[in-house]
Amino acid sequence: MSAPDVRSLYDEIQAVRTRYPEGTRSAVLPALRLAQERYGWLSREAIEEVAEALELTPAYCYSVASFYDMFHLEPVGRHTIEVCTNVCCALVNAQAVLSAFVRELGIQPGETTPDGEVTLRAVECLGGCSTPTIVAVDHRYRQSVAPEDVPAIVEELRNG
Amino acid sequence: MAETPTLVLAGAEEAPLRSLAAYREAGGYLQLERARAMTPQAVTQELIDSNLRGRGGAFFPTGRKASFIPSPDKVARPIYVAVNADESEPGTFKDREIMLRVPHRLIEGCLIAAHAVQSKRVYIYIRGEYLAEYESVQAALDEAREAGILGDVEIVIHRGAGAYICGEETALLESLEGKRGQPRSKPPFPAISGVYSSPTLINNVETITTMPKVLELGGEEYAKLGAPPDSTGTRIFCLSGNVARPGAYELPHGVTVRHLIEEIGGGVPGGRTLKAVMMGGSSFPVMTPEDLDTPLDATSLGRKGYFIGSGVVTVIDDRACMVQFALRAGQFYMHESCGKCTPCRVGTRWLVQLLRAIERGEASERDLELVLDVCDRMIGKCLCVLGDSDAMIVASCVTKFRDEFRAHVEHGGCPFGHDSQLDGLYAPVDQHAHAPAAEAEALV
Ligand SMILES: Cc1cc2nc3c(=O)[nH]c(=O)nc-3n(C[C@H](O)[C@H](O)[C@H](O)COP(=O)(O)O)c2cc1C
Ligand code: SF4
């Protein structure tokens, strides 16, 4: 983890805006990402903050956020586990890996553990097809994950 | 035929070529220097002579595309280059290898492309899930900037946020403009009106990263490699699925599918046999075993109704139920349909409903015809090819594995039972309770 950013979200967003031509809305995606990194998910308040920093309406920012799979409009756990379930991983063992996480965490895909620690998601192809099954743990890819590896991954997150 | 050298991944065969010093030692950025000493037209001419074609899926001639960009004195707006690093076609992982292993070659390619179309601003649109890849390219970019290599060109990395459709070039441009990633109708094409209504050259990561090598060899020499005249040069094939040695293999166009799977990939493991190949990506018709001797070049594949796509070769062994395979592919397109046009928005959902009913044995023989009819109403009628893609793979499964589909109807269920590795597969659409066709089911 890097040192906590002492800049406000507003200032961070202004810095991102300079990368794009003036008068364009290109900073919306990076700004939403910054807000989500800061707050964990995009609450109504977070979206309002982004909108204000970009001089756009909250409705516009919400409409953009809701289009993209990686933006969370509901609270998520402190950690995320994303299991690729597309065909290349599925042909090898993705279903067994996903089921192992379901058993180990006691939740269904799309859910968060009651203690708010871990969100489990089934996702589409992550682009790691030569080392199935790909599991993104807090957005870092783990390669060639087998069902036997699952308890250790969950343990690691619970202790981390 | 002389052995074709590794080009795009040259120097990174053993270990990644990440630092500027190491890349320079391998001859890095020399072609940029040469390009900058040439006129933009001369650089474009080299690309035309090479007959390099787009590696993103559509195989469009790269030099010709660059030549469509008007020269700066003819337009009042700035000219942009957009690099498509959205890589989300199922089975594709080559751009990721490039970004992790030869990030400086990608940057060099960006700068050569910028010179060819006289652009001062490059955007690299990278899919949001790629974190290590983003860090690798960002580090290379920072190093290059510090070393003064960028000159008066600015390169900005723009991260996506999870949407397959943003790989479609006009959806990518919309997304880059801070909008929902929904495709635009064409024309106008991006070369005339792209990002911010300005002329924009848009190319795939692999296409761009090939450019330094085209200059190094010379367009005419490059054009002799691979399977000329149409499929010149090399291609990073993405071998995956039920194969002993999956991986990203850079090979000349024209090796056969069988050679890649059996010689290079070590064949199907576990004493199983090959049932089908997902050829080009999940957006294209599946290949059946009798066509394994087809050379991997666009012309030979095209003759048999296949596409080279993004270089995907995914091996499916004999355990797999092809109804389940078609269903899972269909669920992907349903999940990723942007909803802008009706044939795709409705068609992708309808196909999933029908395929699910067939898989469960709740369909009749007539429903097989209905699937093909729905596919027919999608192909050529969608705003972008996402809808067509769904229809192409699904229709190919029904047509080529008709007996398997029929067996589901006759058995009143899947004849493979739990033997199929795709049995009971959970898909992301099942997670979205608001999706009409989603029937979320508990896994255990
Ligand atoms: C639904 C859809 C998804 C696409 N995804 C990608 C992608 O992830 N990466 C890519 O380079 N091209 C993708 N393409 C192709 C692009 O529209 C475009 O043809 C390509 O970026 C042009 O670059 P090239 O000529 O270098 O291949 C996609 C097309 C469609 C219709
Ligand atoms: S074909 Fe599908 S993805 Fe493409 S524009 Fe239409 S609804 Fe959107």
Side-chain angles (χ1 to χ4, degrees), chain B residues 17-29:
Chain B
L17 198 56
R18 281 219 186 147
S19 73
L20 177 57
Y23 185 59
R24 276 217 155 116
E25 205 155 298
Y29 291 110

Side-chain angles (χ1 to χ4, degrees), chain B residues 299-338:
Chain B
T299 316
S300 308
L301 288 165
R303 251 183 238 126
K304 296 190 173 154
Y306 300 115
F307 296 83
I308 198 155
S310 48
V312 171
V313 177
T314 301
V315 181
I316 302 168
D317 76 21
D318 58 338
R319 290 169 299 168
C321 164
M322 293 307 284
V323 177
Q324 290 166 354
F325 173 79
L327 171 62
R328 185 60 188 86
Q331 286 172 318
F332 170 74
Y333 293 97
M334 173 183 154
H335 189 252
E336 302 300 333
S337 169
C338 82

Side-chain angles (χ1 to χ4, degrees), chain B residues 125-438:
Chain B
Y125 186 106
I126 182 168
R127 71 177 289 188
E129 292 86 349
Y130 278 179
L131 176 57
E133 297 73 10
Y134 159 71
E135 290 169 345
S136 171
V137 178
Q138 184 69 60
L141 177 58
D142 291 343
E143 249 188 324
R145 186 182 290 118
E146 199 129 305
I149 293 169
L150 302 194
D152 60 351
V153 178
E154 191 41 85
I155 300 180
V156 172
I157 305 179
H158 188 88
R159 302 180 70 190
Y164 167 68
I165 189 58
C166 290
E168 194 282 333
E169 55 187 18
T170 60
L172 182 150
L173 298 173
E174 287 284 295
S175 180
L176 183 54
E177 290 183 2
K179 302 174 186 161
R180 294 163 69 87
Q182 293 184 307
R184 301 173 179 170
S185 51
K186 293 187 268 193
F189 290 93
I192 304 303
S193 179
V195 70
Y196 316 131
S197 310
S198 302
T200 306
L201 177 73
I202 173 159
N203 277 121
N204 168 261
V205 165
E206 188 182 355
T207 315
I208 292 278
T209 311
T210 307
M211 291 181 182
K213 287 291 171 179
V214 167
L215 291 191
E216 184 181 322
L217 296 168
E220 281 178 24
E221 282 308 305
Y222 183 90
K224 291 178 189 160
L225 302 175
D230 289 332
S231 304
T232 60
T234 62
R235 168 73 77 137
I236 304 176
F237 290 105
C238 307
L239 182 64
S240 69
N242 303 127
V243 62
R245 291 189 294 274
Y249 297 104
E250 185 178 353
L251 301 166
H253 279 116
V255 297
T256 66
V257 184
R258 188 186 301 284
H259 179 81
L260 176 61
I261 294 173
E262 293 178 2
E263 304 303 318
I264 294 174
V268 182
R272 314 298 316 192
T273 55
L274 184 147
K275 180 187 264 189
V277 175
M278 189 170 89
M279 182 64 235
S282 71
S283 297
F284 307 101
V286 288
M287 179 178 271
T288 35
E290 71 273 14
D291 291 329
L292 283 180
D293 292 308
T294 312
L296 283 161
D297 66 72
T299 316
S300 308
L301 288 165
R303 251 183 238 126
K304 296 190 173 154
Y306 300 115
F307 296 83
I308 198 155
S310 48
V312 171
V313 177
T314 301
V315 181
I316 302 168
D317 76 21
D318 58 338
R319 290 169 299 168
C321 164
M322 293 307 284
V323 177
Q324 290 166 354
F325 173 79
L327 171 62
R328 185 60 188 86
Q331 286 172 318
F332 170 74
Y333 293 97
M334 173 183 154
H335 189 252
E336 302 300 333
S337 169
C338 82
K340 186 166 176 170
C341 68
T342 313
C344 170
R345 185 182 60 247
V346 176
T348 54
R349 279 163 177 72
W350 199 358
L351 287 180
V352 166
Q353 287 169 353
L354 287 168
L355 290 165
R356 203 189 286 278
I358 296 168
E359 203 273 327
R360 287 183 179 154
E362 293 162 2
S364 67
E365 180 83 26
R366 274 186 51 220
D367 289 324
L368 304 189
E369 291 311 317
L370 186 55
V371 169
L372 292 175
D373 191 39
V374 173
C375 291
D376 197 43
R377 286 159 199 266
M378 294 168 76
I379 292 174
K381 298 173 183 73
C382 295
L383 180 60
C384 80
V385 270
L386 185 144
D388 301 60
S389 300
D390 185 20
M392 273 200 281
I393 186 142
V394 169
S396 76
C397 288
V398 177
T399 318
K400 297 181 181 197
F401 295 93
R402 188 89 188 196
D403 291 347
E404 255 183 53
F405 277 73
R406 198 172 284 136
H408 282 73
V409 173
E410 285 162 6
H411 277 71
C414 181
F416 298 93
H418 297 310
D419 292 341
S420 166
Q421 58 285 51
L422 304 177
D423 183 52
L425 189 60
Y426 189 93
V429 273
D430 299 323
Q431 245 159 229
H432 298 289
H434 58 266

